[in-house]
């Protein structure tokens, strides 16, 4: 932890120790994310994970100006970590575009505004017809989700933890996927940990 700073209103002070209730800021070299625990011992601390609830509105987002790709990637990943939007990518496809998922459509407006005002990036948003997202888990260790049998209108994507998620247009498509993929289970929510529970 390089030069942790205690913050009080506009004041900043480099400190060596902090106590419960103190608000401090630390430099992030790209290894921290929301929900992480910093510990000075070698103890293995494990939590059940922060739930990520399934969004109901989806769109493909990409930057308008290809020269601002770096700013676009930085901004969209930061907003995803904050929980402003959930990001998905299609397997074996580059990172030029993302599938963004939100619970309410106004979150797309927030995404556009913040990318424009904070990162100077204008985006192109293409709405998708998907309405349901289900995290997939296999009962078999060698099962490949790329080989899942899905309807032609369903899409297999990966979340920011590279966990497989299937996007569906209807409950009927969800039921169809469950019937045709006996080795896979579908969950209503994703949890950012390798352990997944409450699968249906």
């Amino acid at each position: 932890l390089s030069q942790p700073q205690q913050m009080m209103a506009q004041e900043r002070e480099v400190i060596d120790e902090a106590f419960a209730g103190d608000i401090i800021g630390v430099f992030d070299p790209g290894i921290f994310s929301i929900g992480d625990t910093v510990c000075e011992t070698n103890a293995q601390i494990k939590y059940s994970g922060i739930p990520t609830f399934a969004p109901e509105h989806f769109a493909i987002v990409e930057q308008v100006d290809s020269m601002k790709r770096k700013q676009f990637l930085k901004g969209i990943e930061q907003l995803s970590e904050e929980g402003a939007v959930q990001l998905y990518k299609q397997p074996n496809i580059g990172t030029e575009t993302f599938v963004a998922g939100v619970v309410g459509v106004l979150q797309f407006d927030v995404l556009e505004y913040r990318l424009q005002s904070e990162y100077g990036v204008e985006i192109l948003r293409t709405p998708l017809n998907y309405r349901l997202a289900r995290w997939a888990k296999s009962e078999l260790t060698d099962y490949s989700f790329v080989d899942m049998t899905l309807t032609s209108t369903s899409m297999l994507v990966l979340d920011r933890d590279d966990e497989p998620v299937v996007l569906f247009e209807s409950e009927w498509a969800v039921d169809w996927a469950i019937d045709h993929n006996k080795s896979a289970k579908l969950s209503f929510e994703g949890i950012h940990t390798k352990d997944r529970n409450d699968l249906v």
Side-chain angles (χ1 to χ4, degrees), residues 59-65 72 76 95-99 111 115 121-126:
I60 293 176
V61 292
E62 55 190 322
Q63 76 273 13
V64 173
D65 185 354
F72 169 72
I76 198 103
T95 57
E96 293 294 331
T97 63
F98 290 94
V99 175
L111 174 67
L115 283 174
V121 176
E122 185 179 351
I123 62 170
L124 176 64
R125 184 177 78 198
T126 306

Side-chain angles (χ1 to χ4, degrees), residues 37-176:
T37 296
V38 180
C39 183
E40 65 178 349
T41 71
N42 291 326
Q44 295 294 319
I45 299 175
K46 186 174 183 180
Y47 299 109
S48 60
I50 300 174
T52 302
F53 299 101
E56 300 176 0
H57 305 277
F58 301 89
I60 293 176
V61 292
E62 55 190 322
Q63 76 273 13
V64 173
D65 185 354
S66 60
M67 299 298 291
K68 294 193 174 183
R69 178 177 178 271
K70 187 174 181 180
Q71 296 95 314
F72 169 72
L73 293 177
K74 181 180 179 181
I76 198 103
E77 300 247 355
Q78 177 67 44
L79 294 175
S80 173
E81 288 181 4
E82 292 179 12
V85 65
Q86 293 185 36
L87 283 187
Y88 306 99
K89 57 187 177 183
Q90 292 177 266
N92 305 318
I93 292 182
T95 57
E96 293 294 331
T97 63
F98 290 94
V99 175
V102 297
V103 176
V105 290
L106 289 180
Q107 288 177 269
F108 282 131
D109 295 333
V110 172
L111 174 67
E112 286 190 39
Y113 176 79
R114 291 193 60 186
L115 283 174
Q116 177 67 49
S117 63
E118 297 175 25
Y119 298 91
V121 176
E122 185 179 351
I123 62 170
L124 176 64
R125 184 177 78 198
T126 306
L128 299 172
N129 290 328
Y130 303 111
R131 292 293 174 262
L132 303 165
R134 296 293 182 266
W135 278 260
K137 181 177 176 66
S138 173
E139 295 179 340
L140 305 175
T141 56
D142 60 348
Y143 184 83
S144 174
F145 288 103
V146 177
D147 297 328
M148 283 187 72
T149 303
L150 301 170
T151 63
S152 60
T153 58
S154 302
M155 177 189 292
L156 178 66
V157 293
L158 301 174
D159 67 9
R160 66 186 180 95
D161 293 327
D162 288 331
E163 298 290 349
V165 182
V166 184
L167 306 183
F168 298 99
E169 290 188 345
S170 66
E171 289 284 358
W172 177 87
V174 176
D175 294 337
W176 193 94

